[in-house]
Amino acid sequence: MRITLVTGANGEIGHSLLETLAASGDRKIIALDLAPLADDLRPMVSVALQGDVSDPAMVDEIEKHDVQEIYHLAALLSTSSERNPALAHQVNVNGTMGLLLMARRIGARTGRAVTFLFPSTIAVYGMPSLEKKNAAGAVTEFEYLQPTTMYGINKVYCEQLGGYMSDRFGQLTDEAGKKVLDFRALRFPGLISATTVPTGGTSDYAPEMIHAAAQGKAYACFVRPDARIPFMAMPDGVKALLDLAAAPAENLTQRVYNIGAFSPSAEEIASKVMEAFPGAEITYAPHPKRQAIIDSWCADVNDEAARRDWGWKPDYDMERAFDEYLIPTISGVYAV
Ligand code: SER
């Protein structure tokens, strides 16, 4: 049975990923989170570790399990990272480096390459101006990589680090000539889950708006109505992670892939929310720093490489995301 590590297990992606992995029942799951693992997730895992991913003693503890596959989800998101850049660097960069080194040691010792799935982000982009952002449209993986935020800088560096540790650092292969580490990264758009809300991100206005409306609460959106970045329904995010993990190494022509689904403005999200919850009260109170971050992210991503190399295709466009996933599920979450 495959042994899979999920860090940041209590987080939004962690929650959905664990549910999907546990349902398939084909692996032993080791979960790590800073907080005690959520009660609903406990039955899904074999081992629940609590602690800091950037603590070397915790990495030693994980290493005992000889994990074969790692979903390294633990991170501070973009707004949290702006508030505490030193902590962001510690967790987002040093935490990742510790796990990459651990993965290499396990790969070398067991003779099986460890697959390392890394959630990167549209925050790696730094569009030079709003005019250029609007003119650029869908950007490829290789353009506009001048992030303005600590989080974006951490993530673009870790993308590079993962490639370096897989392809160029030290002993690259085991005795059979196989690589000991197989790093693969996805650049996620803002993710929207029907069952959880994010903490500390800057794309949070979309999920916050939807979850507020479902609870009958007024919402003041912290970006302008015209603010536009890519978004994705959480089930597609999880599908992308699993599909990239399962793709044969020989099909992958790059280590970092964009994935896209839909790219609405805040106002377009608000009108979809109003359709579903006609009484919803949505106003706009742009926060200058958070607005500047959103303006620096791309308006859309070009995901042709993911489509070509491993068959990426989202199940949910905006209509389906709202009509078949978000609205039906969210209403159940807050029903009394
Ligand atoms: N959703 C993330 C954030 O807002 C972007 O990766 O920080």
Side-chain angles (χ1 to χ4, degrees):
M1 206 180 228
R2 198 152 16 134
I3 308 174
T4 297
L5 169 70
V6 179
T7 72
N10 279 333
E12 280 210 286
I13 305 177
H15 235 95
S16 293
L17 177 66
L18 279 187
E19 284 165 6
T20 309
L21 290 178
S24 76
D26 62 350
R27 49 193 111 191
K28 180 176 164 189
I29 300 172
I30 319 286
L32 169 69
D33 202 278
L34 203 49
L37 192 66
D39 287 343
D40 60 321
L41 298 178
R42 282 208 165 249
M44 301 174 190
V45 311
S46 305
V47 180
L49 298 171
Q50 185 189 348
D52 175 358
V53 69
S54 67
D55 173 4
M58 178 48 73
V59 175
D60 289 347
E61 190 55 39
I62 299 169
E63 190 166 350
K64 292 180 191 155
H65 296 282
D66 276 352
V67 298
Q68 294 157 283
E69 179 182 59
I70 298 174
Y71 294 88
H72 174 35
L73 310 177
L76 270 75
L77 292 184
S78 54
T79 293
S80 302
S81 298
E82 288 309 286
R83 293 188 177 135
N84 198 341
L87 180 65
H89 190 275
Q90 173 63 15
V91 174
N92 297 352
V93 175
N94 296 348
T96 301
M97 180 63 169
L99 281 190
L100 286 167
L101 287 166
M102 180 201 77
R104 287 175 47 97
R105 289 194 297 272
I106 295 174
R109 186 170 67 244
T110 60
R112 259 187 322 238
V114 174
T115 313
F116 195 114
L117 272 295
F118 184 71
S120 191
T121 164
I122 50 165
V124 299
Y125 294 108
M127 308 308 290
S129 66
L130 205 48
E131 295 67 45
K132 290 209 170 113
K133 165 175 173 158
N134 293 334
V139 302
T140 69
E141 284 87 347
F142 310 102
E143 303 172 276
Y144 302 106
L145 295 177
Q146 275 99 26
T148 59
T149 61
M150 187 63 180
Y151 176 69
I153 292 166
N154 293 164
K155 288 284 184 175
V156 79
Y157 172 67
C158 286
E159 290 179 353
Q160 299 284 322
L161 189 61
Y164 173 78
M165 298 292 279
S166 290
D167 299 327
R168 298 186 293 284
F169 172 73
Q171 181 216 335
L172 299 177
T173 51
D174 65 12
E175 282 157 17
K178 271 182 61 187
K179 288 197 171 177
V180 296
L181 173 65
D182 184 353
F183 176 89
R184 303 173 180 198
L186 284 173
R187 287 196 190 142
F188 279 118
L191 290 169
I192 313 178
S193 166
T195 53
T196 54
V197 275
T199 38
T202 315
S203 59
D204 296 7
Y205 59 91
E208 284 175 1
M209 195 186 282
I210 302 163
H211 283 259
Q215 296 170 83
K217 293 185 184 161
Y219 184 67
C221 179
F222 59 78
V223 293
R224 294 184 316 264
D226 68 297
R228 187 184 299 279
I229 57 166
F231 281 98
M232 178 176 288
M234 185 59 85
D236 271 334
V238 169
K239 179 177 93 149
L241 274 172
L242 297 176
D243 286 356
L244 179 58
E250 58 275 17
N251 292 359
L252 304 183
T253 57
Q254 52 199 59
R255 292 209 174 269
V256 180
Y257 289 94
N258 278 344
I259 45 168
F262 47 93
S263 220
S265 65
E267 193 169 33
E268 286 161 3
I269 299 169
S271 34
K272 223 29 213 154
V273 171
M274 299 291 295
E275 249 175 55
F277 303 101
E281 258 182 76
I282 300 167
T283 52
Y284 296 88
H287 180 285
K289 286 196 176 147
R290 297 182 102 184
Q291 179 69 62
I293 292 174
I294 292 298
D295 286 343
S296 79
W297 295 354
C298 56
D300 199 0
V301 288
N302 176 324
D303 61 4
E304 277 166 28
R307 289 173 184 264
R308 177 196 68 218
D309 288 0
W310 47 278
W312 162 248
K313 190 171 179 298
D315 288 333
Y316 296 92
D317 60 12
M318 178 143 148
E319 292 295 303
R320 256 202 95 196
F322 274 81
D323 301 347
E324 296 180 32
Y325 167 63
L326 291 167
I327 302 307
T329 317
I330 219 164
S331 306
V333 171
Y334 298 111
V336 277

